[in-house]
Each structure stands twice: as C-alpha cells, then as structure tokens.
Amino acid sequence: MELIKDLPSVFEEFAEQRKNSFLRVKELKEKGMPVIGVFCTYFPQEIAMAMEACVVGLCSTSDETVRDAEQDLPSNLCPLIKSSYGFALTDKCPFFYFSDLIVGETTCDGKKKMYEFLGEFKPVHIMELPNRQSESGCRMYREEIIRFREVLEERFGVEITEEKIRQAIHTRNEERRALKSLYELMRLDPVPMKGEQLYGVLFGSTFRFDKSRLVAEIDALVAKIRREYDEGKHLERMPRILVTGSPSSGGAMKVVRAIEENGGVVVAYENCGGSKSCDEMVDEDNPDVYDALARRYLNIGCSCMTPNPNRFDLMGRLIEEYKPDAVVEIVLQACHTYAVESTRIKRFVQDNYGLPYLKVETDYSTTDIGQINTRVSALIEMI
C-alpha cells in the first residue's frame, strides 16, 4: 500500500482482498507451501505459521450455495454452516480447493456434524474445544494444540520447534497490535471513517498472507487517517452504534449498511472479525508456549462458552471506551448459543449502561432488507 493512495482506494483494496487473494493462494500452493483452511478465531494460527503454512479462512457468508448444501444439511441450520459447506461441496471457493488440510473446532453442534460431511472429500482435523474457560479447560486445549502440532509434523514431514512458534507468536501479536490501533481510531467523535470501511480492512487483512508487510500497511493507514483527521477530514457527528453477536461479514453486512444508510455509524464490533480477534495478545514471556497459546485463545468470549464472562467484560470495556448510543446484536438464524445469550446481553447493556438495544435475527438472503431498514431507522430516530 503506497501512502500516496487516497483513503477510499485503500478501503476498497482491503474490501476486495479476499477475491484478490485467490490467485495468490494458487501461486503459494504451486511453490510448495502447505495451505491450511480454518473456520474459527479459536484456531491457534501460530502453530501453522511456524511451519510456514498459508492459513486461509473458510467461513462463507453468501446464500449462493445454500440450496446445494441443503441436499445434505437441514434447511433450518445456521446459514454460515450451510454456506461454508455449500461452497466446499460445489468447488466454488478456491480456498477449499487448495486447502491441504481443513481444521475445525467443536464450537457448535451444527459445525461438528458438518465436518463429518466435509471429511468425505477433504482431509479434516478436529480440535476439541472445552466448553468452560477454566484451568482444566486450559490444560485440555494446551494438549489439543500439541496434538495439532504433531498432526502437522506427521502429515507434512516437518519439525515445528518452539523457537519457530515463538517467532510466529511475535508476528501475530504485531498484527493484532496494528489492527487494534486501527479500530481504536473509532473512539474519536466524530469518527474518521465508516464502520463498513473499518470492517472491510479488518476482514480483508485476514487474507493478507505476508504478515510483516501487512503490519507496515496497517501502520501506514493509521498514520494517514490520523493526519487527515487532524486536518479536519472526518465524518459528521452521527449516532454511534456498537455491533455484537454472530459474525457480520458477507450477507450479514446488510445490517451494518442499514445502520449507516439510516444516519448512524458503527464505531465498534465486539463480534468475530472485530475486537474478539485482536483484543488480547499472547503472553510472549510465558516459558510454556503451548500454555500461552491456550490461555490467549480460550479467553475469547464466544457464546459457545458457558458461562461466558469474558464476552461481557469485553462488551463493558467497548461501551466505556467507544461511547455508543445504542447496541445492535446480529444473530444468525439457528445460531442457538447467540440467540439464547442475547437475552443476557440485552439486560447487560440496558441495566448497566442504559443503552437502547436492538436484536436482528437474519440469514444471508436479501428478503428481509426492508424490514431491517425499518427497524434500524426507528432505533436511530429514537436516539
């Protein structure tokens, strides 16, 4: 990314990064680099990075292949699961095609059963995820991380040393630091950019495979935004919205667009792809690298954990730091853990912070865009 590029061009470049990286993955594959396909923020990327593998995200967020997926999967299943499986089944996603190994975590029952179907035509490794953020859970996940390392070593004929893992931990921490410095710009009021532009960079960055270069690009972007903000180039003051819940990318971005097309601006994303992914670093001083990784990743406050205090801790900090005027929760249809937990999130933001709360249950289709616009518009008018 050259500094001479204007900000709209930079935002567009990151927004299109997933498509642009298809050819890059092909090139890396042809050079002999292993490709590991993953689904979840609980996946410890550092282990795969330590063997110089290319890590690609496989969650698909379009309804294009949902009908294909429903040949094997029930229609009343989470759209993210159906979309992901559908793109794998139809070979319409190059990342699935080029993946040498697919890694899934036991975050929800729907995904666990979907992985069984994936295993019929792709090599799949499952990492057992504990349901509790506890010392026993941490010990369990530490062993799972070691087991995953051993699987990679055996499958690809490599040795993954602790020194290489530490190097990968440092690289990933630098990436998290850079991305965190980017989304922390949204503490400013008025904000320097739209929430959709911010999410485009956060999501697009996951498909930048040269992490050292990515860090330099993000740092340069942050410096450019700050410089232009100081020159008075920013958006007007608008109602500030915090988005939480299920992942917001792809088809679910219609909720973010509804917010911003109706006069609001998304200033923070608590969900996957936002703060959840970058909020905490891996402890580089921990003498046990596997313990350090297990503790960092298990601290992610996903609704698959029970109880789930870390999500509420992060939510509280985001509300205090980003000063939202309301909270909007996106819940994908049949995402039962987020659907159940939404009641507690509503109580949390209303009782502790007195904020308006709106829950939007949706899928990846466009059929409910009008209804979403009506509800979001009413929320913003009320603010």
Side-chain angles (χ1 to χ4, degrees), residues 172-370:
R172 281 284 286 150
N173 275 348
E174 284 296 291
E175 179 187 0
R176 294 184 186 104
R177 175 200 57 75
L179 292 171
K180 196 170 182 178
S181 69
L182 173 68
Y183 68 68
E184 284 179 346
L185 292 173
M186 300 302 276
R187 294 174 177 174
L188 296 169
D189 190 6
V191 294
M193 57 189 152
K194 291 183 177 181
E196 185 175 4
Q197 291 173 321
L198 170 64
Y199 196 84
V201 177
L202 296 175
F203 183 68
S205 68
T206 63
F207 300 98
R208 285 276 217 273
F209 306 125
D210 185 337
K211 297 303 182 183
S212 297
R213 183 179 177 185
L214 170 65
V215 169
E217 290 178 340
I218 297 298
D219 285 343
L221 175 59
V222 170
K224 186 175 181 64
I225 292 173
R226 285 190 176 279
R227 186 167 57 253
E228 293 197 1
Y229 193 90
D230 291 340
E231 296 170 355
K233 298 177 182 178
H234 50 68
L235 303 182
E236 297 298 321
R237 210 295 175 181
M238 293 174 282
R240 301 165 64 87
I241 308 298
L242 185 154
V243 167
T244 184
S246 304
S248 300
S249 54
M253 283 300 290
K254 61 189 174 184
V255 180
V256 174
R257 295 190 189 100
I259 292 169
E260 302 198 327
E261 289 172 2
N262 285 282
V265 61
V266 176
V267 296
Y269 295 90
E270 181 274 334
N271 48 6
C272 293
S275 301
K276 264 194 182 114
S277 306
C278 309
D279 181 65
E280 187 173 337
M281 307 295 158
V282 178
D283 182 4
E284 296 186 42
D285 295 324
N286 189 328
D288 184 342
V289 293
Y290 304 107
D291 179 74
L293 288 169
R295 290 183 184 280
R296 187 272 167 194
Y297 281 96
L298 278 190
N299 275 347
I300 295 173
C302 177
S303 64
C304 68
M305 293 292 169
T306 184
N308 186 21
N310 290 356
R311 182 185 181 195
F312 294 86
D313 174 69
L314 178 58
M315 279 282 294
R317 286 190 285 117
L318 291 177
I319 290 172
E320 291 168 8
E321 294 172 11
Y322 291 81
K323 304 292 189 294
D325 299 301
V327 172
V328 173
E329 180 155 24
I330 301 172
V331 177
L332 293 177
Q333 290 176 0
C335 185
H336 300 309
T337 55
Y338 273 108
V340 171
E341 197 165 87
S342 64
T343 299
R344 295 193 62 217
I345 291 293
K346 179 180 180 180
R347 292 173 184 165
F348 179 79
V349 301
Q350 290 183 339
D351 296 347
N352 291 281
Y353 297 97
L355 293 176
Y357 167 92
L358 175 65
K359 173 184 173 181
V360 178
E361 191 167 355
T362 188
D363 57 14
Y364 294 147
S365 71
T366 59
T367 56
D368 59 352
I369 288 179

Side-chain angles (χ1 to χ4, degrees), residues 71-251:
Q71 296 175 16
D72 296 327
L73 302 177
S75 59
N76 61 343
L77 190 63
C78 165
L80 186 149
I81 298 173
K82 291 191 292 185
S83 177
S84 299
Y85 178 71
F87 273 94
L89 183 68
T90 59
D91 254 348
K92 289 184 177 181
C93 176
F95 293 144
F96 278 107
Y97 178 80
F98 289 120
S99 290
D100 297 294
L101 179 67
I102 291 174
V103 182
E105 298 82 6
T106 56
T107 49
C108 78
D109 292 339
K111 275 188 175 180
K112 286 190 291 187
K113 303 308 290 184
M114 182 268 281
Y115 295 149
E116 295 179 13
F117 286 102
L118 276 184
E120 294 176 1
F121 52 90
K122 270 290 186 180
V124 175
H125 172 75
I126 303 299
M127 296 189 71
E128 294 286 344
L129 192 71
N131 293 322
R132 294 179 63 86
Q133 292 156 328
S134 62
E135 285 300 314
S136 61
C138 184
R139 289 193 296 270
M140 171 187 167
Y141 205 50
R142 178 186 180 278
E143 292 302 314
E144 279 297 292
I145 293 173
I146 293 174
R147 184 171 71 92
F148 175 56
R149 186 211 72 205
E150 293 171 345
V151 166
L152 293 181
E153 289 179 324
E154 180 179 356
R155 183 174 186 84
F156 296 100
V158 297
E159 180 184 6
I160 301 175
T161 66
E162 288 195 11
E163 180 182 359
K164 290 180 179 177
I165 295 173
R166 289 193 183 280
Q167 292 172 355
I169 286 173
H170 179 73
T171 298
R172 281 284 286 150
N173 275 348
E174 284 296 291
E175 179 187 0
R176 294 184 186 104
R177 175 200 57 75
L179 292 171
K180 196 170 182 178
S181 69
L182 173 68
Y183 68 68
E184 284 179 346
L185 292 173
M186 300 302 276
R187 294 174 177 174
L188 296 169
D189 190 6
V191 294
M193 57 189 152
K194 291 183 177 181
E196 185 175 4
Q197 291 173 321
L198 170 64
Y199 196 84
V201 177
L202 296 175
F203 183 68
S205 68
T206 63
F207 300 98
R208 285 276 217 273
F209 306 125
D210 185 337
K211 297 303 182 183
S212 297
R213 183 179 177 185
L214 170 65
V215 169
E217 290 178 340
I218 297 298
D219 285 343
L221 175 59
V222 170
K224 186 175 181 64
I225 292 173
R226 285 190 176 279
R227 186 167 57 253
E228 293 197 1
Y229 193 90
D230 291 340
E231 296 170 355
K233 298 177 182 178
H234 50 68
L235 303 182
E236 297 298 321
R237 210 295 175 181
M238 293 174 282
R240 301 165 64 87
I241 308 298
L242 185 154
V243 167
T244 184
S246 304
S248 300
S249 54

